[in-house]
Amino acid sequence: MEPGIAQRTSQRIILHLDMDSFYASVEMQERPGLRGKPVVIGADPDNGKGRGVVATCSYEARAFGIRSAMPISQAFVLCPHAVFLPPDIPRYVKASADVMLILKAQGFPIQQVSIDEAFLDVSQMGTFPAASDLAARIKDTILSRFGLTCSIGLAPTKVVAKIASDVNKPDGLTIVEPENIFSFLAPMPVRKIPGIGKKAEADLFELGIRTIRDLTTFDIQVLIARFGRSAIALKDVAAGIDTSEVKEQDVVKSISRETTFTNDTDDEQLVAATIDKLAEEVCRNLSDEDLHCRTVTVKVRYQGFVTKTKARTLPHYTGDRATVRTCAHSLLCDIFDGRKIRLIGVRLSSFDKHDARQMILGV
Ligand code: TTP
Ligand code: CA
């Protein structure tokens, strides 16, 4: 259907770009001998005894079942002949900055949402075919300048654009025009909705909700009783309604550090000292970014991979190390049940640039 002029001018066109197997692609670009091979970026596999996790891996490695966040020992079992490399974060930060410069040079409002992904509001292109040409040009530029592929989604909303960028990876370009939103979303598993993790997915399954279509037809009152007011937003997203805008600042959403112990431990002193160290590191990063935070989260992974997290939102923004450390210790006490711990982590979120007002309020 040809949209009318009024529709065409009010129509938003959002572009979401996500780099393909980012860390692995940067490594493969810089070492051409790795092309076409299964490459895993993450902890040292130590001949199958390694204790950390996979950060990411090439699509060739994914064919063996390897995935981000999987124990490196499991990745080693799945594909012992893969090339295992430690992460070289400064290199990825540089590659990210290069890509973001290309995106900024397009002259549209831009919101970087992680090291390798960004939204652009390209409504000014006027039509989806014109926006699609722009997306193809962006992909070509990134490939020819840096030898890296990315996947792009184009849609009338941020959420649909993000889902679209993911469906034809790697090197995909997926366009969801307004009249196709529902047929695009309906058959998707609910897990495709950004923000729906394992836990929410399991809760929805319990209600018999598996696809986005199931969500759209489900009784809103029952959903609210179960999930609170966030159910309303969830129903909207399922129906393709999402008015959130591409916000230019808002780059850093959280700062986190985690450590896998060499041996699983229930040594309280070691765990406490490690929490101190992690709190110190995230606070240093917070101060480097000139930010204050309100939410502190502690993650504990026990032997057997059972993971618990607990968050606390402070009454005021703070950048104070002692406050963060005390909060992290108290959260750890709440979730530490005496079992042996494999990994612990600290995350700071809910940021605001600290100004004079917050500095006075800061605890
Ligand atoms: P993602 O965009 O989630 O993944 P990816 O770019 O590696 O692969 P895809 O093609 O599916 O988009 O994450 C971007 C980078 O962030 C990734 O290259 C490595 C890092 N990362 C981790 O370090 N740990 C993780 O658990 C995840 C998911 C990502
Ligand atoms: Ca990516």
Side-chain angles (χ1 to χ4, degrees), residues 18-22 116 169:
D18 185 302
M19 302 302 293
D20 299 323
S21 54
F22 186 51
D116 79 330
K169 266 184 165 291

Side-chain angles (χ1 to χ4, degrees), residues 95-116:
S96 167
D98 288 344
V99 169
M100 294 303 155
L101 270 183
I102 299 285
L103 297 182
K104 282 179 194 144
Q106 309 302 316
F108 299 99
I110 176 169
Q111 179 180 3
Q112 183 179 350
V113 281
S114 78
I115 191 163
D116 79 330

Side-chain angles (χ1 to χ4, degrees), residues 57-70:
C57 60
S58 64
Y59 278 77
E60 290 82 356
R62 293 181 199 197
F64 291 87
I66 302 177
R67 294 288 181 272
S68 288
M70 171 183 278

